[in-house]
Amino acid sequence: MLIRIGFEIALTAPAPVPSIIALSTHPDAPGRLIGSGKPRSPAGLGMTESWDIFGNVKHRLTLPAGETRLWSDCAVEQDGVPDAVVPEAVQHPVEDLPMAVTQFLKPSRYCDSDALMDFAWAQFPAGPSGWDRVQRICDFVHGHIQFGYHHGRSDRTASQALAEGRGVCRDYAHLAVALCRAVNIPARYASGYLGDIGVPYAGPGDFCAWFEAYIGGHWYTFDARYNVPRIGRVLMVRGFDAGDAAMMTSFGSNRMTLFRVWCEEMPAMSDAEVMDQLERRPEAEALLNLDTAA
């Protein structure tokens, strides 16, 4: 299966703004990339590339005064199989976990699992553990949080999401991660592309947050917002929580005026034909468009 992925973002700044962006595909993203999954910028705007401790690809740049457009457009060839479902995956005793994995048992800025211990053990007591327990956590979070872009808030923690019962995809992921950690299941936050492939159209494209739990000796993908296995997921970033996976971190004032994301299945074609398609950005519907020139 061929999937075209990309974005276009317009940012306006009153003065130069140093920034760090995490808008590349992750080296661990499954599939074969055709073209470049890295962000592109106008000529003369330099970007330097680096990697953080989670393997996320990040770029440093300084937004000039005025408008700057960043974009990416490429294709990935995947097997077209939905997220794995492995009911036999067991929860490991903490003493048997690899040391590198135990760090994902600790509370973090947005996943305040220490504040949810009593609730988590009462709601998800010992019993069928591993896959079943993580799925029960997903079922709870999926039914508890009401989704809405107008509910988005950048400083909401997992415990606040539990108390408020509303949020966006990152809040579903944060609450599920925190509840997993509270019952001693390592969990980490993840984000990337997830289009409406194999499901009905759900509106303009956006980046999506999900999470990964360590059970049965492997990291497995779970998605508390949609709560069903999906096709065409493309990882961009992962970490303890959204603080490690922010799309953009700016050290100064700027305003986003255009934001559009595409993640859509392409018909079968050769690599040369794909590259020809990538010469022209698609007419994807914008999630945000405050720029009349767009």
Side-chain angles (χ1 to χ4, degrees):
M1 170 184 284
L2 287 173
I3 304 170
R4 185 173 185 172
I5 57 173
F7 66 85
E8 184 175 17
I9 298 172
L11 301 158
T12 301
V17 180
S19 303
I20 300 172
I21 59 175
L23 291 167
S24 298
T25 53
H26 196 282
D28 291 346
R32 182 176 68 93
L33 203 64
I34 305 172
S36 173
K38 298 177 181 180
R40 285 175 268 179
S41 60
L45 181 63
M47 292 194 291
T48 58
E49 183 176 291
S50 62
W51 295 263
D52 65 15
I53 60 173
F54 306 105
N56 302 321
V57 182
K58 296 191 174 182
H59 290 85
R60 299 182 66 172
L61 69 156
T62 297
L63 298 174
E67 184 188 83
T68 300
R69 293 206 177 209
L70 305 174
W71 72 95
S72 178
D73 194 16
C74 64
V76 60
E77 185 178 42
Q78 292 188 349
D79 57 16
V81 176
D83 300 324
V85 177
V86 187
E88 64 272 21
V90 298
Q91 178 174 347
H92 298 276
V94 172
E95 60 270 24
D96 292 342
L97 288 168
M99 281 299 294
V101 172
T102 59
Q103 63 182 325
F104 294 100
L105 290 172
K106 300 175 183 178
S108 57
R109 178 180 178 183
Y110 296 112
C111 297
D112 50 346
S113 51
D114 50 343
L116 298 174
M117 289 287 189
D118 291 343
F119 176 85
W121 281 100
Q123 188 77 24
F124 312 103
S129 61
W131 192 278
D132 179 80
R133 202 177 207 177
V134 179
Q135 186 56 59
R136 282 186 283 131
I137 288 172
C138 288
D139 293 343
F140 169 79
V141 174
H142 178 75
H144 182 75
I145 294 181
Q146 178 187 5
F147 179 86
Y149 284 111
H150 57 292
H151 296 321
R153 200 179 81 220
S154 63
D155 60 350
R156 182 183 286 118
T157 65
S159 62
Q160 290 171 337
L162 177 65
E164 297 172 16
R166 61 187 182 186
V168 292
C169 58
R170 62 177 265 164
D171 299 302
Y172 287 78
H174 282 158
L175 181 54
V177 166
L179 291 172
C180 283
R181 292 177 185 171
V183 294
N184 296 332
I185 297 175
R188 62 191 184 190
Y189 180 93
S191 179
Y193 294 96
L194 181 62
D196 297 325
I197 298 174
V199 298
Y201 173 74
D206 192 4
F207 296 127
C208 182
W210 57 87
F211 74 101
E212 299 167 345
Y214 188 85
I215 49 179
H218 298 279
W219 288 102
Y220 290 105
T221 294
F222 290 88
D223 189 332
R225 179 190 170 187
Y226 293 111
N227 206 27
V228 293
R230 293 287 294 268
I231 298 170
R233 203 181 293 271
V234 181
L235 178 68
M236 296 176 74
V237 286
R238 59 162 65 109
F240 291 118
D241 56 35
D244 303 310
M247 178 180 73
M248 183 169 190
T249 303
S250 298
F251 301 89
S253 175
N254 67 88
R255 180 170 177 255
M256 183 181 294
T257 58
L258 175 68
F259 179 73
R260 63 190 190 106
V261 174
W262 50 92
C263 180
E264 53 196 32
E265 185 176 0
M266 301 177 73
M269 62 181 73
S270 68
D271 286 9
E273 290 172 319
V274 170
M275 294 303 294
D276 182 65
Q277 291 281 319
L278 298 179
E279 290 295 319
R280 301 166 296 280
R281 273 173 263 173
E283 296 296 328
E285 187 177 0
L287 185 65
L288 170 69
N289 189 357
L290 304 177
D291 183 358
T292 56

